Amino acid sequence: MARIAGVNIPTQKRVIISLQYIAGIGAANAAQICTALNIDAARRVNQLSDAEVLAMREYIDANFTVEGDLRREVTMNIKRLMDLGCYRGLRHRKGLPVRGQRTHTNARTRKGPAKAIAGKKK
């Protein structure tokens, strides 16, 4: 089992797909890693040698912010916005959509389940 950036990547899947199990690496970054290390995209992880896995691990550590560091960075960016008191920070603080979506209807993911209006009878 290959372990990269603290994640056990699946061994039966292709390299490009397996790399996407690491937070911070998507399809484009996985393809970039494979081309930089001259690894065929069609190969499976269990077909890689230990040296190739090690080279992949070192390349990711050197060139990408992944997993815990990435999550910490994103959290700190959101905290910074909230501390500044800017519009986006206030929306994060209130648990409302941040990027201009409407809230009159929809936005249930951010707002949570709908609450019944007390005292209103039909």
Side-chain angles (χ1 to χ4, degrees):
M1 172 141 326
R3 187 169 176 85
I4 299 175
V7 177
N8 292 328
I9 60 174
T11 55
Q12 299 301 322
K13 298 191 179 198
R14 292 184 302 130
V15 175
I16 288 187
I17 303 301
S18 292
L19 285 174
Q20 293 179 43
Y21 279 73
I22 301 170
I25 296 181
N29 287 338
Q32 177 188 343
I33 292 166
C34 288
T35 54
L37 298 175
N38 296 322
I39 295 173
D40 183 26
R43 288 175 66 190
R44 308 272 172 178
V45 174
N46 58 7
Q47 297 171 343
L48 295 176
S49 68
D50 290 338
E52 289 173 322
V53 173
L54 181 64
M56 196 180 303
R57 187 179 301 132
E58 290 172 351
Y59 185 81
I60 289 171
D61 287 340
N63 298 310
F64 296 100
T65 305
V66 292
E67 283 299 323
D69 294 336
L70 178 66
R71 289 191 176 99
R72 191 174 309 108
E73 187 176 322
V74 169
T75 304
M76 292 306 293
N77 288 340
I78 293 171
K79 187 176 182 331
R80 178 182 51 83
L81 290 172
M82 290 193 295
D83 291 343
L84 283 172
C86 65
Y87 182 78
R88 283 174 55 201
L90 295 176
R91 302 297 281 184
H92 273 291
R93 196 179 302 158
K94 291 179 182 177
L96 294 170
V98 177
R99 295 183 177 179
Q101 297 91 335
R102 66 180 293 139
T103 56
H104 176 70
T105 59
N106 301 335
R108 295 282 29 133
T109 301
R110 285 295 303 218
K111 292 169 73 173
K115 299 167 192 77
I117 299 172
K120 189 172 184 179
K121 296 181 182 177
K122 283 194 166 190

